[in-house]
């Protein structure tokens, strides 16, 4: 849908939030600023690499490998327990409010919990799972904690499961997961998920808390119906020990809506928030509806002016809040309103010395920053 593409373009998606204080702010040189921007990808890769090396991820990868013996469809149910997958989905939440509210809840849909209750033990000699009906409200998996191992030293327990049915679709409202390995004293992975819905099945709140060794991922989404609009909020944080590796905080106002429907696409009138990835923090204050209105029968000049007036985006260092640059919008000469893939404006980085360069030069490989 064209409106959503414009939102994604405008957006820096989950980026936007609080304005930075002017107190003691340093303005980086162009070289210093470029160093921060070009290092973001390696910082993300390093963080994800460290997560992959934890005992919990080793055991989770072994479990994911063995779930393929349940069949492709059933195996996909358990992707909800993959912290790397969850982190990517949390970071990839965009201004499509439908995604903000659903992610990562629907990753668990399709699993009929009652059909799995009991203990499932991996039998290496026959390459199959053996089921024992010895539980009343839990699902327990016992399997080798690493690929290629033969001893069932890992125990994964799924409990506290509840769900609601919305338009014939079963959506979990709570689930707890704990993964232990016999040789390790503390659990190597825990997951706690909760969601609240109205009596009509509309989402109100979603929370997620994942512990993986020294890593802690939290996410929270909420929907607040007001007199003439709906406020959709989303935030997340990924910490490694006491270091915040990634975080975000987003608020989108959906106008002229009295009852939010998660199956509909909505156009926000404004978006505020931030995205922090490693040493980079992007902040913005976006008047999305005002900008979109300007694109209707607008000229290249008027669209560009409207973008720079309504789409305020700044780049800062984290946690120092030193000024890296700000975003300037230029008209996309290849834009055509007849094709939904075309974007009306292109973001440029304006450094503190006044020089400019395409944002895509620095952040083109970051999927959560979809500006091109």
């Amino acid at each position: 849908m064209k409106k959503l593409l414009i939102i994604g373009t405008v957006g820096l998606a989950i980026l936007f939030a609080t304005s930075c204080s002017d107190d003691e702010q340093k303005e980086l040189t162009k070289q210093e600023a470029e160093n921060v921007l070009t290092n973001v990808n390696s910082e993300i890769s390093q963080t994800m690499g460290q997560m992959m090396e934890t005992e919990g991820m080793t055991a989770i990868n072994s479990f994911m490998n063995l779930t393929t013996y349940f069949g492709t469809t059933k195996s996909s149910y358990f992707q909800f327990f993959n912290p790397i997958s969850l982190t990517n989905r949390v970071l990839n939440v965009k201004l499509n409010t439908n995604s903000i509210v659903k992610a990562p809840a629907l990753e668990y849909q399709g699993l009929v919990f009652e059909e799995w209750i009991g203990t499932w033990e991996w039998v290496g000699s026959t390459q199959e799972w053996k089921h024992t009906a010895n539980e009343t409200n839990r699902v327990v998996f016992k399997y080798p904690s690493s690929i290629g191992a033969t001893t069932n030293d890992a125990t994964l327990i799924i409990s506290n499961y509840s769900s609601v049915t919305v338009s014939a679709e079963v959506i979990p409202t709570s689930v707890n997961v704990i993964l232990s390995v016999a040789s390790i004293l503390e659990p190597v992975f825990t997951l706690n998920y909760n969601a609240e819905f109205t009596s009509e099945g509309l989402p109100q709140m979603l929370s997620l808390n994942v512990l993986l060794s020294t890593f802690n991922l939290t996410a929270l989404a909420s929907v607040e119906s007001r007199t003439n609009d709906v406020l959709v909020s989303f935030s997340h944080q990924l910490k490694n020990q006491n270091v915040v590796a990634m975080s975000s905080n987003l608020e989108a106002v959906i106008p002229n809506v009295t009852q939010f429907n998660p199956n509909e696409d909505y156009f926000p009138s404004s978006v505020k928030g931030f995205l922090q990835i490693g040493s980079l923090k992007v902040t913005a204050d976006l008047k999305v509806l005002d900008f979109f209105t300007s694109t209707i029968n607008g000229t290249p000049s008027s669209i560009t002016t409207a973008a720079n007036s309504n789409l305020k985006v700044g780049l800062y260092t984290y946690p120092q809040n030193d000024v890296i640059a700000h975003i300037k919008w230029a008209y996309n000469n290849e834009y055509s309103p007849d094709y939904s893939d075309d974007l009306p404006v292109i973001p440029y980085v304006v450094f503190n010395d006044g020089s400019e360069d395409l944002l895509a030069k620095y952040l083109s490989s970051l999927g959560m920053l979809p500006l091109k």
Side-chain angles (χ1 to χ4, degrees):
M1 179 178 286
K2 185 174 186 60
K3 290 190 296 184
L4 294 178
L5 284 168
I6 292 177
I7 296 172
T9 311
V10 168
L12 284 175
I14 49 178
L15 312 181
F16 327 158
T18 56
S19 59
C20 297
S21 169
D22 292 331
D23 296 337
E24 300 180 0
Q25 277 189 307
K26 171 187 174 184
E27 291 189 351
L28 270 59
T29 66
K30 181 178 180 179
Q31 184 60 59
E32 291 172 333
E34 287 185 322
N35 289 341
V36 174
L37 294 176
T38 54
N39 285 336
V40 172
N41 289 325
S42 61
E43 289 178 333
I44 292 177
S45 297
Q46 182 179 9
T47 297
M48 294 302 182
Q50 292 172 343
M51 289 180 65
M52 291 298 297
E53 293 174 357
T54 62
E55 295 93 342
M57 274 308 307
T58 299
I60 289 169
N61 286 335
S62 177
F63 176 70
M64 294 300 173
N65 181 60
L66 295 177
T67 59
T68 59
Y69 290 86
F70 289 123
T72 304
T73 301
K74 291 184 176 180
S75 175
S76 66
Y77 298 159
F78 302 102
Q79 284 297 323
F80 184 84
F81 307 140
N82 188 329
I84 299 295
S85 177
L86 279 175
T87 302
N88 287 335
R89 284 175 172 80
V90 167
L91 285 173
N92 202 37
V93 172
K94 296 189 171 59
L95 296 187
N96 180 341
T97 57
N98 184 29
S99 296
I100 290 174
V101 175
K102 285 188 175 181
L106 295 188
E107 295 305 313
Y108 200 62
Q109 78 174 66
L111 174 60
V112 180
F113 186 79
E114 292 74 17
E115 295 179 357
W116 291 83
I117 290 175
T119 298
W120 299 80
E121 294 188 64
W122 175 250
V123 183
S125 59
T126 58
Q127 298 287 284
E128 62 182 357
W129 290 92
K130 176 185 176 182
H131 179 254
T132 304
N134 61 346
E135 297 282 349
T136 57
N137 57 5
R138 302 191 311 172
V139 180
V140 179
F141 295 95
K142 295 185 177 182
Y143 64 96
S145 64
S146 60
I147 296 176
T150 57
T151 303
N152 289 345
D153 60 336
T155 302
L156 189 149
I157 301 173
I158 307 171
S159 62
N160 190 36
Y161 178 82
S162 63
S163 64
V164 295
T165 301
V166 179
S167 302
E169 191 173 81
V170 177
I171 302 176
T173 53
S174 70
V175 63
N176 296 341
V177 181
I178 185 167
L179 172 60
S180 302
V181 175
S183 61
I184 302 173
L185 184 61
E186 298 291 333
V188 296
F189 170 72
T190 62
L191 180 151
N192 297 301
Y193 163 81
N194 288 280
E196 295 178 1
F197 294 79
T198 66
S199 57
E200 294 81 15
L202 302 176
Q204 290 182 305
M205 182 279 295
L206 178 154
S207 69
L208 176 71
N209 187 9
V210 176
L211 290 174
L212 181 72
S213 183
T214 59
F215 290 91
N216 183 199
L217 171 65
T218 58
L220 179 65
S222 66
V223 179
E224 178 186 353
S225 296
R226 305 189 295 193
T227 303
N228 296 312
D229 60 31
V230 170
L231 177 66
V232 180
S233 304
F234 175 83
S235 63
H236 94 284
Q237 185 180 79
L238 175 64
K239 295 178 66 175
N240 183 7
Q241 294 181 333
N242 293 322
V243 178
V244 180
M246 305 176 194
S247 63
S248 68
N249 194 324
L250 167 69
E251 288 190 348
V253 176
I254 313 299
N256 303 318
V257 175
T258 57
Q259 190 175 49
F260 184 84
N261 185 341
N263 297 314
E264 296 291 332
D265 290 330
Y266 294 99
F267 191 76
S269 59
S270 65
V271 179
K272 293 184 180 181
F274 76 88
L275 171 67
Q276 172 256 321
I277 308 174
S279 56
L280 172 66
K281 182 177 181 179
V282 184
T283 69
D285 186 349
L286 309 180
K287 298 176 181 177
V288 183
L289 185 58
D290 289 346
F291 167 72
F292 177 73
T293 301
S294 75
T295 66
I296 302 175
N297 299 321
T299 65
S301 176
S302 66
I303 292 174
T304 302
T305 298
N308 286 299
S309 297
N310 296 305
L311 311 179
K312 304 292 186 180
V313 180
L315 310 179
Y316 301 86
T317 62
Y318 179 85
Q320 300 86 354
N321 267 343
D322 294 335
V323 181
I324 295 175
H326 70 272
I327 297 299
K328 171 184 175 181
W329 303 92
Y331 187 76
N332 180 1
N333 290 321
E334 298 180 358
Y335 171 67
S336 171
D338 297 328
Y339 298 95
S340 60
D341 289 338
D342 289 333
L343 306 177
V345 288
I346 301 173
Y348 280 78
V349 179
V350 181
F351 297 100
N352 292 313
D353 64 359
S355 59
E356 304 175 5
D357 216 335
L358 281 168
L359 176 64
K361 174 181 176 180
Y362 304 99
L363 301 178
S364 58
S365 63
L366 295 183
M368 72 290 297
L369 302 181
L371 294 176
K372 299 178 181 179

